[in-house]
Amino acid sequence: MECANRIQVLDKNDDVYSVIKKITEEGGLDESFYVCDVSELVWKCNNWKKLIPRIEPYYAVKCNDSRIVLQTMAALGTGFDCASREEIRRVLSLGVKPNKIVFANPTKKISHIIYAAEMGISAMTFDNEFELYKIKKHYPGAELILRIKCDDVTAKYVLGQKYGADPEQESERLLSLAKSLDLNVIGIAFHIGSGCSNYAIYLEALAAARHVFDIGKSLGYVFRFLDIGGGFPAKKSNSIDEIAKYVNKGLAEYFSDTNLQIISEPGNYFVNSAFKLVSNIHSKRIITEARKNGAKETSLRMYYIDVSLYTALIPVLFQEFYECRPVKSIPNAPEYPSIIWGPTCDCSDKISNGAVPMRDMEIGEWMIFEEAGGYTLSIASEFNGFPVPDIHAVVNEEDWLFLTEKAPKPLSREKFVSSKNLESYLTGLGTPCTFRTNYF
Ligand SMILES: *Cc1c(COP(=O)(O)O)cnc(C)c1O
């Protein structure tokens, strides 16, 4: 049974954790792996449609560009936000139509503009006059979207210092220039930044977009497109319920025209909680320090796992730490201060946030890192010769039926494998991986 690049359909009494337990208990395996819960992607998509029905999500490819994610999003009928030729190529290779792609990079390489023109991807953003001249020369028929700046200052990753025209100071000048170049501007985009906590910013951003729509109108443009960007909550625990209230309110107030096409570009919202990383402890040290003046001895446990922040958890570099715990739980086991290190010979390759309390772990044991799908795989490198973990994809039975029968673009049954078939495969080959990370 060849199982590469297939999604495991879970038995009724299985879930993601029981699958992880089975794989790690097979024995003989010492490579880390991700588990992608395809059902989580399906749920996120349905949740979006339920809460913000006027907005069509265009998944931001840079957040996680693995085949399992792009293939599932394509099946669910979302659009795609691409920023480069390769991202566009990957999405098109799945049979996605060019009109479901927005080239949402305000500063594009000329060769990528030409590629977009060849492929018929007409929707693209801009925020400066040089971009307009480039597009005039290489893709005069493009459908342009002016990206304006509207930052949430509480956002963890503020984008306004890099992108976005000032709605007051620059928009009119840029739209006049576009008009005089006879370019087709179809609407406005903004991105409030990622990791934002002040959701009322959406009201401000939508008001600013309305203002620029009106400027466009005074210059003779009839805008029909609005893009509210990405930056939606990534944690499973904070959903988009609150944001939906603000966004729906702002749309009702400023954009009551139902002919408008409104899109968003969520990345982390979709993928972060859909991935778990499962990693193997391959080495261990205990550092004991005798305290002076007869105080108690302290000991620090140090564990070395086989994924580094470079191969799997790059957000750690930006002080984003992961909830992590042993795969095998032992109730009431005493806990000790413990540091988790990556395998590379780099002292910044520290995965835990300093010393964290954890039960004593043995070499060969496994740990789970939760919510590891966003900005991990798409940035990973094989620094120091350690491989990027492969992905084991699972889906529950109900969503398997949905994806193969009722989804907007159903997936073929060959893309799935039943748990029963997979078990014989596991015993035969000793590897859990169905999706190679670099498979595209
Ligand atoms: C990165 C990015 C996104 C996705 O941001 P998330 O925080 O992952 O939702 C969307 N749009 C643009 C233009 C981006 O650069």
Side-chain angles (χ1 to χ4, degrees), residues 60 62-63 81 104 147 159 191 193-195 229-232 265-269 375:
K62 82 169 183 296
C63 188
D81 153 8
R147 170 135 161 208
L159 295 161
H191 188 306
S194 294
F232 302 94
E265 301 165 348
N268 241 334
Y269 163 75
Y375 303 105

Side-chain angles (χ1 to χ4, degrees), residues 170-336:
E170 296 175 289
S171 295
E172 184 158 5
R173 178 172 58 80
L174 289 172
L175 290 174
S176 305
L177 176 62
K179 193 78 197 170
S180 69
L181 292 172
D182 198 23
L183 289 169
N184 181 19
V185 183
I186 61 164
I188 303 298
F190 61 80
H191 188 306
I192 51 119
S194 294
C196 122
S197 52
N198 165 30
Y199 300 152
I201 189 75
Y202 280 99
L203 292 176
E204 266 174 61
L206 288 167
R210 175 76 255 170
H211 175 63
V212 184
F213 259 63
D214 294 341
I215 295 175
K217 196 169 173 197
S218 71
L219 293 168
Y221 280 118
V222 185
F223 290 161
R224 57 174 175 80
F225 189 91
L226 175 66
D227 173 357
I228 72 159
F232 302 94
K235 294 262 178 242
K236 202 174 177 133
S237 51
N238 54 1
S239 81
I240 56 169
D241 294 30
E242 269 304 295
I243 285 193
K245 283 184 205 152
Y246 285 102
V247 169
N248 291 331
K249 182 166 183 264
L251 288 180
E253 189 160 339
Y254 301 111
F255 293 97
S256 51
D257 176 5
T258 49
N259 289 323
L260 200 63
Q261 184 185 6
I262 313 174
I263 73 157
S264 59
E265 301 165 348
N268 241 334
Y269 163 75
F270 277 114
V271 294
N272 198 44
S273 55
F275 281 71
K276 298 176 200 313
L277 177 69
V278 186
S279 186
N280 191 260
I281 293 173
H282 62 74
S283 306
K284 175 178 178 178
R285 292 177 69 197
I286 299 180
I287 311 289
T288 310
E289 206 172 87
R291 284 269 173 82
K292 291 194 182 93
N293 309 328
K296 249 177 53 186
E297 217 180 58
T298 57
S299 71
L300 176 67
R301 281 162 165 71
M302 307 216 292
Y303 299 101
Y304 302 78
I305 61 174
D306 73 330
V307 288
S308 70
L309 59 87
Y310 304 100
T311 50
L313 296 169
I314 204 91
V316 170
L317 263 190
F318 308 102
Q319 303 297 304
E320 305 250 15
F321 296 99
Y322 291 80
E323 184 195 327
C324 128
R325 63 173 189 284
V327 168
K328 195 163 95 194
S329 67
I330 299 178
N332 307 320
E335 292 187 319
Y336 308 91

Side-chain angles (χ1 to χ4, degrees), residues 104-137:
N105 184 341
T107 52
K108 294 166 284 300
K109 281 176 68 100
I110 287 174
S111 54
H112 295 194
I113 295 174
I114 294 170
Y115 178 74
E118 282 168 7
M119 295 297 144
I121 287 131
S122 54
M124 53 183 69
T125 56
F126 74 101
D127 67 0
N128 67 82
E129 63 269 37
F130 302 106
E131 198 70 9
L132 285 176
Y133 293 125
K134 263 157 53 184
I135 294 169
K136 174 70 185 174
K137 183 160 176 203

